[in-house]
Amino acid sequence: MLTGIWTIGIKVPNLEREIEFHQQFGNELILDETIEFEGESYRIPLIKMGDKYIHLAEKAVYENLLPEPLPFGITHLVYISDSLDQDVAKAVAAGAGEIFPIAKVSAGFGERRVGFLKSPSGWIFEIIEITTNLVSEV
């Protein structure tokens, strides 16, 4: 079952400027790391904003799998699941398409199993199962 929203993915044209904005705005930079996915490096800072996290990126890790680049702004929501396989199957049965199969991700925030999906209208979302959490709860 989906239990909440963990983070919001946001594509920005300039990470340095966006991080500076968030820090001046009073939000906390929790992690600033680079992850590898399918042979490409992605810098993905994690910002604590109120009771949620936001992930910033100049390019989404799944963007190469889409027919066209994503515009700047919110790119996807990340839902927490306590039964990832069932929730992904339920989303697919309801009409969502998988962007790529469920994968394991390990980074400074911990370890996750993740599924990236696209709704019938084209809205992108991610469902995660947190296996190891290395950041505080918000």
Side-chain angles (χ1 to χ4, degrees):
M1 173 181 359
L2 300 181
T3 60
I5 294 175
W6 185 67
T7 189
I8 300 165
I10 301 174
K11 182 178 175 179
V12 300
N14 183 317
L15 281 174
E16 294 303 328
R17 176 64 190 109
E18 195 69 20
I19 291 169
E20 179 183 329
F21 162 75
H22 280 283
Q23 289 175 322
Q24 289 177 2
F25 193 47
N27 298 324
E28 182 182 355
L29 176 65
I30 301 295
L31 290 170
D32 189 357
E33 63 184 336
T34 301
I35 64 170
E36 301 290 325
F37 181 74
E38 294 195 346
E40 202 167 334
S41 295
Y42 298 87
R43 183 176 170 209
I44 306 178
L46 181 67
I47 306 282
K48 182 179 176 190
M49 182 176 193
D51 67 342
K52 296 289 180 262
Y53 287 118
I54 59 174
H55 259 130
L56 304 174
E58 290 178 348
K59 182 178 178 182
V61 297
Y62 54 83
E63 199 162 347
N64 289 341
L65 303 172
L66 301 175
E68 57 190 49
L70 294 168
F72 295 116
I74 295 173
T75 57
H76 67 279
L77 291 179
V78 180
Y79 292 100
I80 300 170
S81 170
D82 60 7
S83 53
L84 179 68
D85 297 295
Q86 291 172 339
D87 285 332
V88 167
K90 187 176 180 181
V92 169
E98 285 185 284
I99 294 174
F100 60 83
I102 293 174
K104 290 183 181 181
V105 175
S106 181
F109 51 72
E111 294 180 2
R112 313 280 193 259
R113 290 181 62 230
V114 303
F116 280 94
L117 301 115
K118 193 176 209 180
S119 77
S121 65
W123 173 69
I124 297 172
F125 61 102
E126 179 181 354
I127 302 175
I128 66 168
E129 185 175 75
I130 299 172
T131 53
T132 305
N133 193 29
L134 299 179
V135 295
S136 63
E137 296 294 323
V138 289

